[in-house]
Amino acid sequence: AQRVTQPEKLLSVFKGAPVELKCNYSYSGSPELFWYVQYSRQRLQLLLRHISRESIKGFTADLNKGETSFHLKKPFAQEEDSAMYYCALAPQGGSEKLVFGKGTKLTVNP
Amino acid sequence: EAQVTQNPRYLITVTGKKLTVTCSQNMNHEYMSWYRQDPGLGLRQIYYSMNVEVTDKGDVPEGYKVSRKEKRNFPLILESPSPNQTSLYFCASNRLAGGSPQYFGPGTRLTVL
């Protein structure tokens, strides 16, 4: 069965420091992977997806099939990055349900 | 504007009083789902639907019902709410295609007394 693991419930960094939010997955096929962000009192919104290979708000994520990881990185964290981050997996072809990790709460301190 | 809407946004009710939370999307998405979000537990899927009249249980379906009579609507029904169903509920939709992201509704905060 597919599974997404985010090992850190909480992550705290200082403004300007690099940040990495970890995501590991288990899936027998080739999944589609996403990062979602939820700012305080707002709905979840898509941050980025691995197939587009783009950088959003300075964040990037690389799919490492060998390590089955999809870690989210940003070289210089900003206070406005403080939010809840969820890693999610979509099965190839869209024939099965989506799976979310439990989330990591990122706090960027001034 | 492409969006997922939910109603009501806030609801306080009492144990055993049936309620329905509506969800509607205007993007012609096949896939819709309901999640509950609780502190420390993240998002847990309650039910999902691949298309009209096709629904299936997620990870925490007990105490909930859903129906999908029209493509755009996916109501969540609590026949006899209990206090442990106090939570923040999100509806989401997406196309049934690989790599298609989910679009989330604004959330419904439910309190069961």
Side-chain angles (χ1 to χ4, degrees):
Chain A
Q2 55 250 37
R3 183 181 299 154
V4 175
T5 303
Q6 294 179 249
E8 303 136 329
K9 277 191 175 181
L10 305 170
L11 184 61
S12 184
V13 300
F14 285 102
K15 178 182 173 181
V19 61
E20 182 179 70
L21 291 89
K22 291 184 168 52
C23 172
N24 292 91
Y25 67 90
S26 63
Y27 181 64
S28 56
S30 294
E32 309 291 349
L33 287 152
F34 308 88
W35 277 99
Y36 286 83
V37 60
Q38 185 182 27
Y39 300 104
S40 180
R41 299 184 177 279
Q42 294 187 27
R43 72 182 76 191
L44 279 84
Q45 52 188 286
L46 180 68
L47 180 61
L48 55 79
R49 47 183 148 171
H50 89 272
I51 57 170
S52 59
R53 301 184 68 81
E54 56 191 341
S55 173
I56 305 292
K57 299 185 179 183
F59 284 97
T60 59
D62 290 318
L63 177 61
N64 185 324
K65 292 186 177 181
E67 296 182 358
T68 59
S69 68
F70 188 55
H71 302 329
L72 183 69
K73 300 176 184 179
K74 185 169 182 177
F76 306 103
Q78 303 299 315
E79 289 180 69
E80 56 265 30
D81 296 328
S82 295
M84 195 76 182
Y85 291 81
Y86 290 94
C87 182
L89 178 156
Q92 197 173 30
S95 60
E96 301 167 51
K97 65 176 185 172
L98 303 176
V99 178
F100 282 82
K102 291 192 186 301
T104 297
K105 184 175 181 180
L106 173 65
T107 301
V108 181
N109 300 298
Chain B
E1 180 191 353
Q3 59 182 345
V4 178
T5 57
Q6 294 177 229
N7 281 292
R9 295 289 312 280
Y10 303 90
L11 180 60
I12 300 174
T13 189
V14 295
T15 299
K17 187 176 181 181
K18 180 180 178 180
L19 66 91
T20 299
V21 184
T22 64
C23 172
S24 183
Q25 51 94 4
N26 62 0
M27 295 168 279
N28 202 35
H29 286 165
E30 299 90 356
Y31 187 103
M32 297 185 75
S33 56
W34 276 102
Y35 299 87
R36 60 178 289 174
Q37 185 180 39
D38 301 287
L41 298 176
L43 277 174
R44 293 182 292 169
Q45 192 176 51
I46 303 170
Y47 269 95
Y48 63 101
S49 170
M50 296 285 195
N51 215 323
V52 175
E53 303 291 3
V54 181
T55 64
D56 206 350
K57 295 177 181 179
D59 300 313
V60 289
E62 295 78 21
Y64 304 94
K65 284 175 59 177
V66 293
S67 69
R68 188 93 181 272
K69 293 183 169 53
E70 304 166 284
K71 198 171 187 179
R72 62 182 292 126
N73 296 323
F74 191 45
L76 179 70
I77 303 156
L78 284 72
E79 295 269 3
S80 183
S82 61
N84 64 12
Q85 292 179 298
T86 292
S87 187
L88 179 58
Y89 291 86
F90 287 100
C91 179
S93 74
N94 60 284
R95 286 191 301 117
L96 256 187
S100 178
Q102 280 199 314
Y103 293 84
F104 282 82
T108 295
R109 187 165 293 281
L110 172 65
T111 301
V112 183
L113 302 174

